[in-house]
């Protein structure tokens, strides 16, 4: 500080030593903060010994000029410093206070906090700025670490959801002011990521996520924002997207770069991604709406298969809302017992008798009427409601079968479809036994229909569960055979009893040589494995005769009967049991 200022300050302080100004000078030298003074007329910059010490300078290597001091300030912070000083000089502010980075004598940067006041000359003109500086580097590092943890993903070091939403809100504000500032939100999901985790381990999965993070950074510009939302989900904010063509270019570049092979845990992995894109415009009001629409587009892409890209359209939102309403209705349907099991007869060709029925669930919606399973079972699978629905189907099927037995039809069996989530549920076997025990029924009356794709998801688990079920007396049928994996090597290991030929082959068996050849191959394979055969979707006499000639054991389809409600089963049995033609009779009728 200048001598006049020091004398003024010293005169207001009582010190018992020899000289107030000398003691005050000692106090300045002992202070933790460095003091500085800037003379605006002479451009002289005076720094205390402690100020120089903080930055590693001495009187010999420090130039006492304002320009030298300003050049030490980090280039990114210099404009803020100049603005703060100018505000004081113009009288807009009485106090100067700013944190910035400043270069030390060893060319490193420290974070410092500066606070100063203006000192006016006799004429009232601002003559001097004087203040103090302290080193806040450690505190800044703590603050930056706190912000990093609050706003960045620890695994990938990319922005997290909180930071991404903040950037997205800024982008929305810009597009409201400047309509031409269109941007895109890209939701990215890694295809078959669970398979990598399950086969190579979670560390390998994390390694892949880091690799993809770096690839994303190389594929985009610095002004774009990349975030990791957790799991295998990435979201990208792409600034200044003007046309649909530019969106396509971005998505093509991302797919190409992300799908390059990489080595993880000694294995070559070729990743692929699905992407959903929403175009940001002033029609959006909040950031979460954009994320929602990009996520909706992603689900649309994934429903079409892996490695797909979908751009959001309004019809997707309408479909998503319909699914959401359906889910709410489905919860109510389970609770209010709106799900009813219908029964379709399965005819045993050896004697023309009804061998049993397949249980097929229908939804009796209070306003929409009867809803078929294809319209709600996929949603039930996705939401997990298929577990209680499957349990209810089992209960209704067993209850009705017991009524038929009591009416004198004691040799009937019930076929029940088992969903993927039911099959993968560790409690499935015990839940099945619980239902059978509830109705005092034997396992032998129940045939469980499981699709090929379900059994192939985890072969070892499937073998273990199927053996447990068959040991309890349950019969196992592979449903829709020929449309799934058809891995014959594994089929031999599964304890199976029946193959059901899919209706898509049966439909064309009399019209297409290829379909007929496939059915003949399935029949031959089943016979060689000593498995029973059921042909489903039999709708014409021609179907019946041709499949009978090929050697199908049982048949099911609209030629015999559509699925019927439970109160019609006993009348149906009374009318038709033993009335269908056997294989021998069919052969003689040709």
């Amino acid at each position: 500080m200048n001598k006049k200022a020091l004398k003024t300050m010293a005169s207001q302080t009582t010190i018992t030593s020899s000289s107030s100004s000398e003691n005050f000078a000692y106090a300045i030298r002992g202070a933790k903060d460095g003091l500085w003074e800037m003379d605006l007329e002479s451009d002289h910059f005076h720094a205390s010994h402690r100020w120089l010490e903080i930055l590693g300078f001495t009187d010999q290597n420090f130039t006492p000029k304002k320009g030298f001091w300003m050049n030490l300030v980090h280039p990114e912070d210099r404009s803020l410093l100049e603005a703060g000083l100018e505000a004081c000089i113009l009288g807009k502010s009485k106090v100067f206070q700013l944190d910035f980075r400043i270069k030390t004598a060893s060319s490193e940067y420290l974070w410092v906090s500066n606070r100063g006041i203006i000192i006016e000359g006799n004429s009232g003109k601002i003559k001097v700025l004087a203040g103090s500086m302290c080193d806040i580097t450690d505190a800044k590092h703590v603050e930056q670490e706190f912000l990093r943890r609050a706003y960045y993903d620890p695994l990938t070091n990319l922005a997290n959801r909180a930071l991404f939403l903040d950037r997205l809100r800024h982008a929305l504000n810009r597009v409201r002011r400047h309509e031409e500032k269109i941007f895109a939100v890209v939701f990215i999901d890694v295809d078959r990521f669970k398979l990598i985790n399950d086969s190579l381990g979670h560390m390998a999965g994390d390694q892949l996520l880091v690799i993809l993070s770096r690839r994303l950074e190389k594929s985009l510009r610095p002004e774009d924002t990349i975030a990791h939302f957790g799991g295998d989900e990435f979201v990208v904010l792409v600034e200044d997207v003007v046309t649909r063509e530019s969106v396509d270019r971005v998505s093509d570049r991302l797919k190409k770069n992300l799908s390059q092979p990489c080595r993880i845990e000694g294995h070559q992995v070729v990743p692929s991604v699905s992407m959903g894109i929403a175009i940001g415009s002033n029609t959006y009001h909040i950031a979460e709406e954009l994320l929602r629409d990009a996520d909706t587009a992603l689900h649309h892409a994934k429903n079409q298969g892996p490695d797909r890209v979908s751009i959001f359209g309004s019809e997707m939102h309408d479909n998503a809302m319909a699914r959401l309403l359906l889910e709410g209705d489905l919860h109510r349907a389970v609770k209010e017992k709106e799900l009813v099991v219908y029964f379709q007869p399965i005819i045993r060709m050896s004697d023309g008798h009804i061998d049993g029925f397949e249980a097929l669930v229908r939804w009796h919606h209070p306003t929409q009427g009867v809803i078929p399973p294809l319209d709600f079972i996929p949603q039930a699978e996705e939401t997990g409601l298929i577990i209680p629905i499957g349990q209810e189907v089992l209960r209704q099927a067993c209850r009705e079968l017991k009524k038929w037995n009591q009416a004198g039809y004691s040799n009937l069996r019930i076929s029940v479809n088992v969903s993927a989530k039911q099959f993968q549920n560790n409690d499935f076997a015990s839940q099945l036994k619980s239902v059978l025990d509830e109705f005092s029924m034997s396992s032998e009356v129940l045939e469980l229909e499981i699709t090929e794709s379900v059994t192939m998801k985890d072969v070892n688990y499937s073998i273990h569960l199927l053996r447990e079920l068959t040991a309890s007396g349950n019969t196992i049928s592979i449903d829709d055979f020929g449309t799934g994996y058809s891995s014959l090597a594994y089929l031999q290991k599964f304890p199976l009893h029946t193959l059901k030929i899919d209706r898509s082959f049966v439909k064309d068996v009399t019209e297409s040589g290829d379909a007929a050849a496939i059915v003949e191959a399935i029949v031959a394979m089943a016979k060689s494995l000593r498995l029973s055969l059921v042909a489903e979707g039999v709708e014409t006499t021609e179907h019946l005769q041709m499949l009978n000639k090929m050697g199908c054991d049982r048949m099911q389809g609209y030629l015999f009967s559509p699925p019927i409600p439970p109160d019609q089963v006993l009348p149906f049995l009374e009318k038709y049991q033993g009335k269908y033609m056997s294989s021998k009779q069919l052969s003689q009728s040709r």
Side-chain angles (χ1 to χ4, degrees):
M1 294 184 182
N2 61 25
K3 293 179 180 179
K4 182 178 180 181
L6 284 173
K7 286 179 180 179
T8 302
M9 294 172 69
S11 65
Q12 298 171 354
T13 307
T14 302
I15 300 176
T16 56
S17 58
S18 57
S19 166
S20 294
S21 59
E22 287 180 8
N23 279 280
F24 198 75
Y26 283 121
I28 290 172
R29 292 189 65 182
K32 183 179 180 181
D33 294 352
L35 304 182
W36 55 268
E37 174 190 284
M38 184 190 301
D39 190 315
L40 300 177
E41 292 181 347
S42 65
D43 198 34
H44 184 81
F45 184 86
H46 179 75
S48 70
H49 176 76
R50 176 58 184 153
W51 192 99
L52 295 172
E53 186 177 73
I54 289 172
L55 298 181
F57 286 102
T58 64
D59 290 334
Q60 288 72 37
N61 62 2
F62 180 77
T63 304
K65 293 288 184 181
K66 173 188 171 185
F68 184 84
W69 174 60
M70 291 292 289
N71 286 333
L72 295 176
V73 176
H74 195 286
E76 293 178 7
D77 300 339
R78 206 167 291 163
S79 59
L80 288 174
L81 175 59
E82 290 172 346
L85 292 173
E86 184 179 4
C88 290
I89 293 169
L90 297 177
K92 295 178 181 179
S93 176
K94 295 290 184 182
V95 177
F96 168 75
Q97 186 167 358
L98 187 68
D99 297 347
F100 54 84
R101 288 162 290 182
I102 190 167
K103 189 188 292 184
T104 66
S106 59
S107 296
E108 298 175 354
Y109 279 99
L110 298 178
W111 274 98
V112 293
S113 181
N114 278 265
R115 180 178 175 84
I117 58 172
I118 58 174
I119 301 174
E120 297 177 352
N122 294 330
S123 63
K125 183 180 178 182
I126 298 172
K127 184 180 179 182
V128 173
L129 282 173
S132 63
M133 179 185 79
C134 64
D135 182 357
I136 60 167
T137 303
D138 290 342
K140 271 290 181 183
H141 286 166
V142 171
E143 178 187 335
Q144 288 170 343
E145 177 62 18
F146 175 79
L147 291 174
R148 190 187 70 79
R149 292 184 181 184
Y151 293 110
Y152 288 87
D153 173 60
L155 174 65
T156 63
N157 208 32
L158 297 175
N160 63 10
R161 179 183 289 268
L163 180 56
F164 186 86
L165 282 170
D166 183 65
R167 301 270 178 87
L168 188 51
R169 291 183 187 108
H170 284 293
L172 273 175
N173 289 333
R174 281 196 302 275
V175 84
R176 290 191 192 104
R177 296 191 303 269
H178 308 285
E179 292 186 8
E180 72 280 4
K181 296 288 185 182
I182 300 173
F183 59 90
V185 174
V186 185
F187 222 121
I188 302 171
D189 184 87
V190 184
D191 298 326
R192 298 180 294 275
F193 182 70
K194 186 177 183 300
L195 177 62
I196 294 171
N197 266 346
D198 291 346
S199 57
L200 301 181
H202 287 276
M203 289 184 66
D206 287 349
Q207 189 178 342
L208 177 61
L209 293 175
V210 172
I211 290 171
L212 295 179
S213 299
R214 303 293 80 82
R215 289 180 178 181
L216 281 169
E217 289 174 330
K218 291 179 181 178
S219 303
L220 296 159
R221 302 162 301 178
E223 59 265 33
D224 299 326
T225 301
I226 310 165
H228 180 222
F229 275 17
D232 60 337
E233 292 184 339
F234 295 91
V235 189
V236 177
L237 171 61
V238 186
E239 302 281 5
D240 296 330
V241 176
V242 181
T243 64
R244 169 64 186 265
E245 288 72 21
S246 58
V247 174
D248 291 339
R249 284 196 298 271
V250 169
S251 62
D252 289 345
R253 183 169 68 248
L254 290 176
K255 281 184 63 178
K256 179 182 177 182
N257 293 347
L258 293 176
S259 62
Q260 296 301 312
C262 56
R263 292 200 70 79
I264 298 176
E265 302 289 333
H267 299 272
Q268 178 166 290
V269 175
V270 183
S272 71
V273 297
S274 298
M275 291 188 280
I277 302 173
I279 307 299
S281 66
N282 57 11
T283 59
Y284 285 97
H285 301 290
I286 58 174
E288 286 78 2
E289 291 176 346
L290 261 164
L291 272 184
R292 176 203 66 199
D293 289 351
D295 190 32
T296 298
L298 173 64
H299 279 82
H300 184 265
K302 290 181 75 67
N303 287 338
Q304 299 176 61
D307 196 31
R308 299 296 182 95
V309 179
S310 181
I311 297 180
F312 179 80
S314 58
E315 74 284 353
M316 292 184 191
H317 181 256
D318 295 339
N319 292 337
M321 286 300 297
R323 288 199 306 272
L324 184 63
L325 293 173
L326 179 68
E327 183 180 337
D329 283 356
L330 202 48
H331 275 278
R332 187 204 63 245
V334 173
K335 184 177 179 182
E336 301 296 330
K337 308 294 184 184
E338 295 174 5
L339 299 170
V340 178
V341 176
Y342 280 44
F343 299 92
Q344 187 173 36
I346 299 172
I347 311 304
R348 187 171 60 238
M349 299 310 299
S350 61
D351 56 11
H353 279 65
I354 298 169
D355 186 61
F357 292 84
E358 180 178 0
L360 299 163
V361 68
R362 299 291 186 267
W363 180 2
H364 283 205
H365 195 281
T367 60
Q368 298 180 38
V370 177
I371 301 177
L374 284 178
D375 291 348
F376 67 89
I377 290 298
Q379 183 90 354
E381 279 273 8
E382 187 177 332
T383 59
L385 281 170
I386 196 65
I387 301 293
I389 289 174
Q391 197 75 348
E392 178 63 19
V393 169
L394 274 171
R395 292 188 75 260
Q396 288 191 35
C398 288
R399 184 173 63 237
E400 294 303 317
L401 180 59
K402 190 165 187 176
K403 289 180 184 177
W404 309 336
N405 290 342
Q406 291 170 344
Y409 299 97
S410 57
N411 295 321
L412 296 174
R413 291 189 294 178
I414 282 285
S415 296
V416 178
N417 291 282
V418 179
S419 73
K421 275 194 166 58
Q422 282 179 285
F423 190 76
Q424 290 154 11
N425 181 5
N426 291 328
D427 294 329
F428 175 66
S430 60
Q431 289 173 355
L432 180 63
K433 184 178 184 303
S434 174
V435 173
L436 290 168
D437 290 345
E438 180 184 349
F439 294 96
S440 303
M441 302 195 72
S442 167
S443 301
E444 284 80 4
V445 300
L446 200 59
E447 186 166 46
L448 302 174
E449 296 191 6
I450 302 163
T451 62
E452 291 178 84
S453 55
V454 168
T455 58
M456 294 302 297
K457 282 186 177 179
D458 186 337
V459 172
N460 291 331
Y461 170 79
S462 296
I463 292 173
H464 170 76
L465 179 57
L466 292 175
R467 284 176 178 170
E468 182 181 355
L469 292 170
T470 52
S472 299
N474 296 115
T475 304
I476 307 298
S477 172
I478 291 293
D479 195 16
D480 300 338
F481 186 76
T483 63
Y485 289 90
S486 299
S487 176
L488 302 183
Y490 284 113
L491 272 181
Q492 295 178 76
K493 297 182 179 180
F494 294 152
L496 305 175
H497 302 88
T498 305
L499 294 184
K500 290 195 78 173
I501 304 172
D502 185 63
R503 66 182 65 248
S504 62
F505 300 125
V506 172
K507 176 173 66 73
D508 297 328
V509 72
T510 58
E511 305 292 334
S512 166
D514 290 341
I518 291 172
V519 173
E520 284 185 324
I522 293 173
V523 171
M525 185 197 68
K527 298 300 182 184
S528 68
L529 294 173
R530 295 184 295 280
L531 298 176
S532 173
L533 275 164
V534 177
E536 58 181 352
V538 179
E539 297 182 356
T540 68
T541 304
E542 289 77 13
H543 288 161
L544 173 63
Q545 289 175 340
M546 191 164 186
L547 292 164
N548 178 64
K549 182 181 178 182
M550 289 180 178
C552 286
D553 306 302
R554 289 180 285 165
M555 299 198 198
Q556 171 186 355
Y558 275 64
L559 177 64
F560 309 105
S561 171
I564 56 178
D567 60 353
Q568 294 181 20
V569 173
L570 281 175
F572 182 88
L573 285 166
E574 292 170 9
K575 184 175 181 180
Y576 292 106
Q577 182 62 296
K579 303 293 177 64
Y580 292 105
M581 296 180 73
S582 67
S583 296
K584 184 177 180 180
Q585 291 169 327
L586 278 170
S587 299
Q588 291 173 347
S589 69
R590 289 202 301 272

